[in-house]
Amino acid sequence: MIIIMKHHATPGEINTIISQVETHGYHVHLSQGTERTIIGIVGDGRPLENHNFELLSGVENVVRILQPFKLASRDFHPENTVINVRGVMIGGPQLTIMAGPCAVESRSQILETAQAVKEAGATILRGGAFKPRSSPYSFQGLGEDGLELLAEARDITGLPIITEVMSPEAAPTVAKYTDIFQIGARNMQNYPLLLAVGRTQTPVFLKRGMMSTVQEWLMSADYVLSGGNRNVMLCERGIRTFEPATRNTLDINAIPLLKQWSHLPVFGDPSHGTGKWELVAPTARACIAAGADGLMIEVHPHPEKALSDGAQSLKPERFAELVTSLRQIALAVGRTL
Ligand code: PEP
Ligand code: MN
């Protein structure tokens, strides 16, 4: 349930409602927009119908949120969420391009890639240090050494960094280095992990589970948001379908649907969405045309030698061409890049 306050509701009126709600044993989440304050009430599933909050002073309207996700819902937060990561405004008019290798493999590899993606127009550097590989025999990442290399690349280029965290236990170590936690597709429903990152203020990039519905995905976002971390982004990275010709099926529908249902920034990941580098540029352009706030793209200086996801990684020159072509699409949809 949400309580929409009148335009000129006073702090006193808002506080009265908060204490009434808390007396009944429910939790309050405030959304303070430029226009008005919205009070989100979440509890343990017990019905709230019998409380006449609409009779309290300063209340304009009381609305039940019918979707099972609440804090991620646009009803609760009508304005787009904009997240400031070291000065990069994610979810605002300017598109955000995150790029870099699937995995950090060596100092020279990450530094060379970081320089190249920066020159091409990326504003965030990606790179996995703890890799969730489908096979236990595949390269698992450099671990904390990889985090140190990423931090060095940030120091040299000025690009903020994003890297994956795979367990609640690893969260404090990853948080020491990263600017954004990536939660991978395989962990979208790792609830202890979602709760752990929700207790921090480090922004969270939540990838869609490969077999998850949009509704389940937004409920996962609520796990993070309900812990008090409001800095959540969503990333469509393709889902499993009956089509074996591509690694996944990039669900373009999800992008405008999420923009309608949620206030959180939405990204597309055409690298994992297709699994083939030749398909990355056209699908990246489709994501932006569909209203995405940004992209995550895998770039490797020598894809043929990559220790993971070489087949879907762009060479730096091709990535630079892609960014150039995206500028025209951005203009067409009223965004900048
Ligand atoms: C990745 O970004 O390299 C990755 C493992 O992605 P996903 O979780 O979407 O498979
Ligand atoms: Mn990858």
Side-chain angles (χ1 to χ4, degrees):
M1 179 181 282
I2 55 173
I3 300 178
I4 302 167
M5 300 302 292
K6 287 190 174 136
H7 189 40
H8 296 295
T10 65
E13 287 169 334
I14 294 168
N15 286 335
T16 305
I17 290 169
I18 293 173
S19 58
Q20 292 247 358
V21 170
E22 288 178 345
T23 312
H24 287 105
Y26 300 97
H27 298 290
V28 163
H29 292 269
L30 276 191
S31 165
Q32 259 146 345
T34 47
E35 285 294 307
R36 62 188 73 240
T37 296
I38 297 178
I39 303 175
I41 307 175
V42 288
D44 54 8
R46 283 173 298 155
L48 265 163
E49 277 91 17
N50 299 333
H51 306 297
N52 288 323
F53 293 115
E54 47 273 276
L55 300 180
L56 294 173
S57 154
V59 173
E60 171 139 321
N61 202 3
V62 178
V63 182
R64 281 192 73 77
I65 300 185
L66 297 174
Q67 297 273 27
F69 51 87
K70 312 290 179 195
L71 303 179
S73 158
R74 214 179 251 289
D75 294 331
F76 170 60
H77 192 287
E79 292 158 23
N80 288 333
T81 282
V82 179
I83 303 172
N84 182 347
V85 179
R86 291 180 182 260
V88 177
M89 304 306 279
I90 300 176
Q94 184 157 5
L95 299 173
T96 303
I97 310 294
M98 303 181 175
C102 179
V104 180
E105 298 170 1
S106 68
R107 186 167 183 274
S108 59
Q109 175 246 19
I110 191 65
L111 295 186
E112 181 182 344
T113 314
Q115 286 292 0
V117 299
K118 183 184 176 176
E119 273 162 36
T123 47
I124 308 255
L125 174 65
R126 69 147 282 152
F130 295 94
K131 293 301 301 174
R133 304 306 302 280
S134 298
S135 164
Y137 311 114
S138 301
F139 175 59
Q140 304 287 312
L142 296 181
E144 194 163 354
D145 292 347
L147 298 178
E148 274 173 19
L149 293 173
L150 272 175
E152 187 183 349
R154 171 182 54 209
D155 292 345
I156 293 171
T157 59
L159 293 177
I161 56 178
I162 173 168
T163 196
E164 180 156 356
V165 57
M166 291 206 293
S167 68
E169 300 73 37
T173 305
V174 178
K176 271 199 293 179
Y177 299 91
T178 200
D179 299 303
I180 306 175
F181 282 131
Q182 174 169 323
I183 306 278
R186 291 157 191 78
N187 275 317
M188 190 206 86
Q189 288 179 310
N190 180 341
Y191 301 118
L193 177 60
L194 299 177
L195 291 172
V197 298
R199 286 189 292 267
T200 76
Q201 288 302 310
T202 301
V204 174
F205 187 83
L206 181 62
K207 293 186 113 186
R208 181 180 187 173
M210 52 187 93
M211 284 161 288
S212 297
T213 65
V214 171
Q215 198 176 78
E216 287 163 343
W217 187 9
L218 288 168
M219 286 193 278
S220 288
D222 262 32
Y223 267 90
V224 180
L225 294 163
S226 61
N229 189 343
R230 297 291 180 87
N231 306 312
V232 178
M233 297 154 251
L234 303 163
C235 177
E236 165 59 42
R237 49 76 72 204
I239 48 176
R240 284 260 164 101
T241 67
F242 55 81
E243 176 55 70
T246 50
R247 181 176 179 182
N248 290 297
T249 295
L250 189 67
D251 180 11
I252 294 285
N253 298 0
I255 294 170
L257 186 64
L258 285 168
K259 293 302 295 179
Q260 193 183 329
W261 282 1
S262 179
H263 53 93
L264 300 172
V266 175
F267 282 73
D269 171 353
S271 307
H272 295 87
T274 64
K276 293 179 188 258
W277 73 263
E278 303 98 308
L279 305 186
V280 168
T283 49
R285 291 191 282 264
C287 289
I288 297 304
D293 298 291
L295 296 166
M296 169 171 269
I297 294 178
E298 287 186 338
V299 177
H300 195 291
H302 307 286
E304 67 290 351
K305 293 192 205 149
L307 297 181
S308 64
D309 287 351
Q312 65 193 35
S313 298
L314 294 184
K315 291 184 179 164
E317 314 82 79
R318 292 197 203 278
F319 173 68
E321 283 165 21
L322 167 60
V323 176
T324 303
S325 75
L326 286 171
R327 293 190 204 281
Q328 295 160 45
I329 314 265
L331 215 64
V333 293
R335 308 293 287 264
T336 54
L337 177 62

